[in-house]
Amino acid sequence: MKEKRSYVIAGNWKMNNNRSQTKGLITQIVPLVPQAGCEVVVCVPFTNLETAIKAVSGTNIKVGAQNVHFEKSGAYTGEISAEMLIEMGVEYVIIGHSERRQYFGETDETVNLRVKAALNAGLTVILCVGERLPDREKGLTNELVALQTKAALIGVTAQQLDKIVIAYEPVWAIGTGKTATSEQADEVCELIRSVIRDLYGDEKSDKMTIQYGGSMNAANAEELLSKPNVDGGLIGGASLKAKDFAEIISCAK
Ligand code: PEP
């Protein structure tokens, strides 16, 4: 099954790096990953997108944003539309990251609206789902992750699904240094795959790229990425160091 899927390793820089640091970090990453056996993406702050796009020109690295608004234009002060991202040459966008759900009022409903707007404009979506620690402790992980996945995909066609990567990110593992065990990661990625199977059938579910995210680093990436249902990673902290990011990429073949 795994050979049917493309690995995607994406760095989520969050609110880090100015423009000269962006150019510097990408310039360091480029020569380390020319033979990558996976899609390589860097998701940078809005203000660094143009710099990043110039810096990756002619390389195998793609650029993503970390959020997008669901309307095309209008009175939405402070927001950026999918069309604006496309016009710049952005190819990916992270949607529904737990930090957006936790600090910026993102809900399953707005995640769904953003997913559809991004797909309609032609972006590839990295859709984040994952449980908080109290949810896991109450045994609610599977129900919650299944619900988040289904809610995010309402109205998404089977054809559009080809432009979605799902990132399973247990909230308790993000930025905490507490990685899920590879068994825990695989189990929930498999659950997500079964949700896709129920909604879209076997072929789509076999082809779906499902990442793990949450304190993935150069030391634990090989084990996590070897699991049958884990097809890549969404990497926060470790994506800010070229060598660490490249080592993770080298594990994704
Ligand atoms: C993330 O921000 O999506 C993430 C997984 O962060 P970290 O790797 O730092 O846990």
Side-chain angles (χ1 to χ4, degrees), residues 46-64:
F46 286 130
T47 49
N48 297 344
L49 285 169
E50 195 167 9
T51 305
I53 287 163
K54 276 192 197 134
V56 303
S57 167
T59 76
N60 55 334
I61 303 176
K62 306 276 169 58
V63 172

Side-chain angles (χ1 to χ4, degrees), residues 10-14 94 97-99 128 167-178 212-217 233-240 248:
N12 174 15
W13 289 13
K14 313 194 188 199
I94 298 172
H97 191 279
S98 64
E99 286 153 16
C128 300
Y168 166 54
E169 296 214 305
V171 180
W172 47 271
I174 296 179
T176 59
K178 269 190 222 154
Y212 167 78
S215 301
M216 193 188 275
N217 57 41
L234 183 54
I235 325 292
S239 72
L240 296 171
I248 296 171

Side-chain angles (χ1 to χ4, degrees), residues 75-246:
Y76 302 99
T77 303
E79 294 296 328
I80 305 283
S81 75
E83 287 73 14
M84 290 170 180
L85 295 177
I86 286 283
E87 188 194 22
M88 292 185 81
V90 174
E91 293 183 65
Y92 277 78
V93 63
I94 298 172
I95 296 182
H97 191 279
S98 64
E99 286 153 16
R100 299 235 38 106
R101 294 181 194 253
Q102 184 177 350
Y103 304 127
F104 301 102
E106 195 79 70
T107 64
D108 285 343
E109 195 181 358
T110 55
V111 167
N112 175 240
L113 291 171
R114 288 177 212 273
V115 166
K116 286 187 288 194
L119 292 171
N120 288 337
L123 291 163
T124 298
V125 170
I126 299 177
L127 165 65
C128 300
V129 295
E131 82 289 358
R132 297 168 310 133
L133 190 55
D135 306 327
R136 177 165 279 271
E137 286 170 347
K138 288 183 203 129
L140 296 173
T141 300
N142 286 4
E143 270 107 326
L144 267 159
V145 171
L147 181 65
Q148 285 176 355
T149 307
K150 286 180 195 166
L153 296 176
I154 291 170
V156 171
T157 66
Q159 197 187 348
Q160 286 178 318
L161 200 69
D162 296 342
K163 299 259 287 184
I164 298 190
V165 171
I166 299 181
Y168 166 54
E169 296 214 305
V171 180
W172 47 271
I174 296 179
T176 59
K178 269 190 222 154
T179 319
T181 65
S182 56
E183 287 75 23
Q184 286 171 325
D186 190 54
E187 193 181 303
V188 184
C189 289
E190 186 178 19
L191 175 270
I192 294 169
R193 200 173 300 290
S194 76
V195 171
I196 299 299
R197 185 171 302 116
D198 291 346
L199 293 174
Y200 297 95
D202 286 340
E203 197 189 325
K204 292 286 176 186
S205 124
D206 291 348
K207 270 177 57 188
M208 184 87 223
T209 296
I210 305 178
Q211 301 173 316
Y212 167 78
S215 301
M216 193 188 275
N217 57 41
N220 60 29
E222 189 166 14
E223 164 73 15
L224 285 159
L225 294 168
S226 71
K227 287 291 166 187
N229 289 288
V230 180
D231 315 310
L234 183 54
I235 325 292
S239 72
L240 296 171
K241 295 187 196 112
K243 194 167 155 284
D244 290 12
F245 191 50

